[in-house]
Amino acid sequence: MIPRAYGLPCAWHYEPGRDITVRWGRPDPVFTVHSGDRRGDRGDHALIDTVPVAQPWVNDHDVARKAHTWAKNNPRL
């Protein structure tokens, strides 16, 4: 897989209940979902999903909310 360039600053959120990490660079039009605790990781080797977003994140709460919503809406992934 070709590594994807992402914006800076970048935010990560680990969702322990699902063992996933959301990575979201600003002002990227997508966030990525990775298996396991990948906080601080810039690689895409554990990539599960790439999710389009309408607006960039504002703070860590935005990133956590997106991670929780993705986990709730994708129970089998």
Side-chain angles (χ1 to χ4, degrees):
M1 174 180 286
I2 297 172
R4 192 178 89 64
Y6 54 89
L8 293 175
C10 193
W12 290 265
H13 177 78
Y14 177 63
E15 188 76 20
R18 283 291 304 280
D19 193 30
I20 61 163
T21 301
V22 163
R23 180 180 71 202
W24 195 354
R26 187 184 290 153
D28 293 355
V30 299
F31 65 83
T32 54
V33 182
H34 306 263
S35 63
D37 185 351
R38 305 288 178 199
R39 289 175 285 190
D41 189 351
R42 291 176 155 74
D44 282 343
H45 59 279
L47 183 67
I48 298 172
D49 198 5
T50 301
V51 183
V53 291
Q55 297 178 342
W57 56 272
V58 174
N59 57 37
D60 290 341
H61 296 291
D62 286 345
V63 182
R65 185 175 41 81
K66 290 289 190 185
H68 180 73
T69 300
W70 185 94
K72 185 173 92 175
N73 293 331
N74 295 278
R76 293 192 177 113
L77 294 177

